[in-house]
Amino acid sequence: MTERITITRPDDWHLHLRDGALLQHTVPATARVMKRAIIMPNLQPPVMNAEQALEYRSRILSRVPQGIHFDPLMVLYLTDHTTPDMIAEAKDAGHIVAVKLYPAGATTNSHSGVTDLGKLDHIASALAEHGMPLLVHGEVTHNHVDIFDREKEFLDTILAPLVSRHPTLKVVVEHITTKDAADFVKSQGPNVGATITVQHLAYNRNHMLVGGIKPHFYCLPILKRNLHQQALQDVVVSGNAKFFLGTDSAPHAKGAKENACGCAGCYTAYGAIELYAEIFEDLGALDQLEGFASFHGPDFYGLPRNSDEITLVKQPWQVPAEMPFGQDVIVPLRAGETLRWKLEY
Ligand SMILES: NC(=O)N[C@@H](CC(=O)O)C(=O)O
Ligand SMILES: [Zn+2]
Ligand SMILES: [Zn+2]
């Protein structure tokens, strides 16, 4: 039985840090283990231009614990008013590596997102020209499309046509949840990749809905049926380099989750690599963890792989029932449960 694993230091290619007082919790939780993270721009108001992105980056850096080198990779939030010039400016500013597409109304703080998904060609061309990836929350928002079908519908009606019109555009399908998305990404060229979260590997909709509704499993895109979970597990076990670690750690205070209208998002950053290690071990694929967590992401983004390492040891520890979160508390994914792997400091 493996008791200890050492891998190249990982990065998180999809992370929500929030802002203000919450950064004192969220930044150290990720910076303890990840060298870099793609910082999602869905603040209120969103991070829409280079200046806002660099200001947000300094607020994040001011919360990095001493002695740790953490590099937040910033992202612009695409709105109906984003112009190719704003993209060029972001590229020139440095530290801004991608642009994020939220279909308006698809998820948390997406109301400023794109309302007409058919009008993205000028943005796609600018991104392709600058070699900047388009990161997508891949769900349509039409009322008549069932919430469990929204990812597939987005791929079929929006993304596949967009990618075929812009064959050199780099696209990351974020937090994929379906076999359809895994198959779509596999069928495309090396310019199309995907992030996969802990919760979509570890759970399916039964975990959320059988025996009582469990709001801490509610995230978007929503957990799907088990055959989709299985398809995601299969791609990570296969070691396919198009798929990489993106926690989508999306913290919301306990009261906002345990609510008649609960927010979407799971908080996993506190134990991200430990949670993935457990799943990979359960899948008999611990040997694939390093590629998924540390190689495939930088290779896709065209960034260097990290040069230092981390070690995980088999040392069971109990996840707290709650953690401090500004004036509030947060309930982490796997609250009160025992995790098998621990980061060795
Ligand atoms: N994934 C989620 O359920 N929530 C994210 C938004 C997102 O990534 O879609 C959040 O910001 O809370
Ligand atoms: Zn999303
Ligand atoms: Zn997210």
Side-chain angles (χ1 to χ4, degrees):
M1 203 172 66
T2 315
E3 297 294 336
R4 200 181 163 81
I5 41 173
T6 296
I7 60 169
T8 300
R9 184 174 293 280
D11 306 295
D12 186 345
W13 301 94
H14 184 132
L15 178 67
H16 300 271
L17 289 176
R18 312 306 189 201
D19 205 354
L22 301 179
L23 294 175
Q24 69 183 297
H25 309 292
T26 57
V27 175
T30 290
R32 79 197 164 94
V33 59
M34 304 290 176
K35 177 73 116 243
R36 296 167 289 200
I38 285 280
I39 311 301
M40 287 295 154
N42 60 333
L43 305 180
Q44 243 176 337
V47 179
M48 289 173 289
N49 57 46
E51 189 186 351
Q52 290 166 345
L54 295 183
E55 281 168 8
Y56 183 30
R57 187 168 188 273
S58 347
R59 296 197 294 279
I60 294 167
L61 287 176
S62 72
R63 292 296 186 173
V64 176
Q66 270 205 328
I68 291 184
H69 293 282
F70 176 63
D71 184 8
L73 306 175
M74 308 310 290
V75 175
L76 291 193
Y77 181 118
L78 202 52
T79 73
D80 288 341
H81 311 292
T82 309
T83 62
D85 280 352
M86 289 161 77
I87 292 169
E89 200 183 311
K91 171 82 183 185
D92 289 347
H95 305 297
I96 303 167
V97 303
V99 168
K100 179 73 189 268
L101 166 61
Y102 291 101
T107 188
T108 307
N109 293 346
S110 64
H111 41 267
S112 312
V114 173
T115 55
D116 188 348
L117 298 171
K119 290 196 182 142
L120 287 168
D121 285 291
H122 63 304
I123 297 296
S125 301
L127 290 171
E129 183 189 323
H130 295 292
M132 276 176 117
L134 177 68
L135 316 183
V136 300
H137 180 107
E139 288 192 290
V140 296
T141 55
H142 320 295
N143 275 333
H144 66 273
V145 181
D146 188 274
I147 189 168
F148 292 99
D149 299 333
R150 289 179 173 201
E151 184 173 85
K152 177 173 164 38
E153 184 77 7
F154 181 88
L155 298 172
D156 292 348
T157 63
I158 309 292
L159 198 58
L162 185 73
V163 170
S164 69
R165 290 199 301 275
H166 300 272
T168 61
L169 176 67
K170 280 192 188 185
V171 174
V172 183
V173 191
E174 299 292 339
H175 48 40
I176 59 167
T177 64
T178 54
K179 177 173 189 308
D180 309 279
D183 289 345
F184 172 79
V185 171
K186 281 191 278 186
S187 74
Q188 297 292 320
N191 56 314
V192 179
T195 51
I196 305 185
T197 72
V198 166
Q199 62 270 20
H200 293 107
L201 285 173
Y203 305 114
N204 59 60
R205 65 195 193 185
N206 275 7
H207 294 95
M208 178 175 58
L209 296 171
V210 173
I213 189 160
K214 308 200 188 56
H216 298 289
F217 287 131
Y218 175 60
C219 67
L220 289 170
I222 198 160
L223 293 173
K224 305 297 192 297
R225 59 169 68 238
N226 58 359
L227 73 85
H228 295 292
Q229 178 196 8
Q230 179 72 50
L232 302 185
Q233 293 178 345
D234 290 346
V235 288
V236 303
V237 171
S238 79
N240 190 317
K242 289 160 130 323
F243 299 88
F244 38 92
L245 186 158
T247 59
D248 189 22
S249 178
H252 293 274
K254 179 179 179 175
K257 295 280 301 169
E258 298 179 9
N259 192 294
C261 183
C263 292
C266 301
Y267 181 56
T268 50
Y270 76 92
I273 196 67
E274 298 87 339
L275 290 160
Y276 280 108
E278 189 158 316
I279 296 162
F280 275 66
E281 184 178 40
D282 289 341
L283 296 172
L286 261 186
D287 58 332
Q288 300 295 349
L289 181 65
E290 184 176 40
F292 178 80
S294 316
F295 296 162
H296 303 168
D299 293 356
F300 180 89
Y301 274 83
L303 294 169
R305 294 176 178 182
N306 294 325
S307 51
D308 59 333
E309 294 178 324
I310 61 157
T311 296
L312 294 165
V313 289
K314 261 284 170 62
Q315 198 180 303
W317 58 287
Q318 200 185 8
V319 180
E322 297 176 350
M323 292 174 175
F325 193 57
Q327 307 276 61
D328 230 308
V329 293
I330 189 164
V331 178
L333 196 77
R334 309 260 328 246
E337 293 179 34
T338 300
L339 298 192
R340 294 198 291 274
W341 290 98
K342 200 169 199 313
L343 185 70
E344 190 177 69
Y345 286 96

